[in-house]
Amino acid sequence: MSATKAIKSILKDKNVTQVELAEKIKITKQNLSNKMNRDNFSTLELVEIADALNMKLILKNISDDKEYLIDYPADCKGKPKRINKTSE
């Protein structure tokens, strides 16, 4: 299942709109829509989406079912994803 399909399914199950999700992760609804259409998310964005939906992002080893939690320090979350570089 693609990230977009999973996110859409979770949003439906939790009765949350894409607009509400965009607000929770502090991006525009258009930016979220573009990411959903391209199925293009950074790991940090997926962690922020999971946090916003009261979930966790986990990788699961197929061979032994061991799970690995993916997370970022709180001070990394919710910040702008692009840094404007200014010339000195």
Side-chain angles (χ1 to χ4, degrees):
M1 177 181 288
S2 73
T4 294
K5 285 183 182 179
I7 293 166
K8 285 182 177 181
S9 180
I10 294 164
L11 291 176
K12 182 178 178 184
D13 290 347
K14 292 185 172 272
N15 198 28
V16 175
T17 66
Q18 283 188 31
V19 172
E20 291 169 327
L21 177 59
E23 290 171 356
K24 287 181 179 188
I25 62 172
K26 301 176 185 172
I27 64 173
T28 66
K29 62 182 181 177
Q30 185 60 48
N31 191 345
L32 180 59
S33 178
N34 289 341
K35 290 178 178 300
M36 299 281 272
N37 288 334
R38 291 189 306 262
D39 196 31
N40 185 15
F41 300 90
S42 71
T43 306
L44 178 56
E45 289 166 338
L46 291 173
V47 168
E48 289 176 330
I49 289 168
D51 286 349
L53 297 172
N54 199 29
M55 301 182 84
K56 294 293 180 189
L57 184 62
I58 296 174
L59 292 177
K60 188 171 184 176
N61 188 332
I62 296 171
S63 63
D64 65 5
D65 284 340
K66 188 171 181 181
E67 294 181 346
Y68 301 86
L69 175 65
I70 299 173
D71 204 358
Y72 281 81
D75 62 340
C76 292
K77 297 176 185 177
K79 292 185 176 179
K81 306 304 178 273
R82 294 187 179 153
I83 298 170
N84 292 331
K85 296 182 180 180
T86 58
S87 52
E88 296 179 16

